[in-house]
Amino acid sequence: DVKVTQSSRYLVKRTGEKVFLECVQDMDHENMFWYRQDPGLGLRLIYFSYDVKMKEKGDIPEGYSVSREKKERFSLILESASTNQTSMYLCASRTSGLAEATIGGTQYFGPGTRLLVL
Amino acid sequence: AQRVTQPEKLLSVFKGAPVELKCNYSYSGSPELFWYVQYSRQRLQLLLRHISRESIKGFTADLNKGETSFHLKKPFAQEEDSAMYYCALSGGYNKLIFGAGTRLAVHP
């Protein structure tokens, strides 16, 4: 069974704190993604990674950074948390296999981390 | 610009009624489109993708390139269909571009 796990379901942090959100997948997927999910805005891509140590900015990277030191793990970092980063954060992964790349790959999502910044 | 538009935030129907969740897209190439669903307290998961031409849980979606649409349809809604539905477009680099989502509420 496909598994994407996220380190926390709920987090409460204070403004200015450094926040780490961890995501682990056990499917040997090359691609991993971080989204934030906000009502009325849907899912917006923050960062993604297509290989170890590789990262690309998504649509809303400001205020975030990422780390991918191992294939199975993709971390999202809020260097100095702000109240406008209060949101649900979703991690996802997908393969880059030829068949998937050809027909359109499925992204597998984690359960999400609900972050509240006070 | 690559964009997905879901014009309805909320769609409210009675059990047994037909359902159509609208999705329009903007994409310059050959699009790959998906519907994802999130049931209450569950993770987001793939419902169906246009290339598979499949029916999942009674839902179907047809890609209309002329109207740039990929509407999700079901002839008879069930209460267990109540969920948040997202239309998504594959936007290169294996990325997905999501719409804002439509909440479907099916009433008994």
Side-chain angles (χ1 to χ4, degrees), chain B residues 15-63:
Chain B
K15 178 182 173 181
V19 169
E20 182 179 51
L21 290 87
K22 291 183 167 44
C23 172
N24 289 91
Y25 67 90
S26 172
Y27 187 68
S28 56
S30 184
E32 295 173 11
L33 286 146
F34 307 83
W35 277 98
Y36 278 78
V37 61
Q38 189 169 30
Y39 301 102
S40 179
R41 302 179 193 277
Q42 293 187 27
R43 63 184 69 195
L44 194 63
Q45 59 186 290
L46 178 70
L47 180 62
L48 56 79
R49 49 193 178 187
H50 89 270
I51 201 147
S52 300
R53 295 183 174 274
E54 57 201 345
S55 173
I56 303 292
K57 300 184 179 184
F59 284 98
T60 59
D62 292 318
L63 178 61

Side-chain angles (χ1 to χ4, degrees), chain A residues 2-118:
Chain A
V2 167
K3 223 34 181 312
V4 179
T5 57
Q6 295 183 227
S7 51
S8 306
R9 292 301 303 271
Y10 301 95
L11 272 180
V12 181
K13 297 292 181 181
R14 296 205 175 275
T15 302
E17 279 193 77
K18 191 168 186 176
V19 181
F20 293 87
L21 303 183
E22 303 283 337
C23 175
V24 177
Q25 51 96 2
D26 65 358
M27 297 163 285
D28 202 35
H29 285 170
E30 293 83 2
N31 301 279
M32 296 187 74
F33 308 83
W34 275 107
Y35 297 89
R36 59 178 286 176
Q37 183 183 29
D38 299 288
L41 296 176
L43 276 76
R44 292 178 292 165
L45 182 64
I46 304 171
Y47 266 97
F48 65 102
S49 169
Y50 52 88
D51 203 350
V52 175
K53 296 192 186 294
M54 305 302 288
K55 59 185 179 183
E56 293 285 341
K57 292 180 180 179
D59 300 316
I60 52 164
E62 296 79 17
Y64 303 94
S65 62
V66 290
S67 173
R68 182 113 182 258
E69 295 297 317
K70 293 185 177 181
K71 191 175 186 180
E72 67 270 20
R73 188 180 297 270
F74 191 36
S75 303
L76 180 69
I77 303 152
L78 286 66
E79 296 289 343
S80 177
S82 63
T83 54
N84 61 13
Q85 292 178 309
T86 290
S87 186
M88 172 70 89
Y89 290 87
L90 300 182
C91 174
S93 73
R94 62 154 284 177
T95 186
S96 285
L98 260 183
E100 288 282 0
T102 302
I103 68 172
T106 299
Q107 286 194 12
Y108 296 91
F109 284 84
T113 296
R114 188 168 293 282
L115 173 66
L116 173 62
V117 182
L118 300 175

Side-chain angles (χ1 to χ4, degrees), chain B residues 70-108:
Chain B
F70 187 56
H71 303 328
L72 184 68
K73 300 178 184 179
K74 185 170 183 177
F76 307 104
Q78 303 299 314
E79 289 181 68
E80 55 265 31
D81 297 328
S82 295
M84 194 74 182
Y85 291 81
Y86 291 97
C87 183
L89 168 70
S90 183
Y93 288 104
N94 301 317
K95 294 188 301 179
L96 286 176
I97 299 161
F98 285 86
T102 298
R103 181 167 297 283
L104 175 64
V106 182
H107 303 285

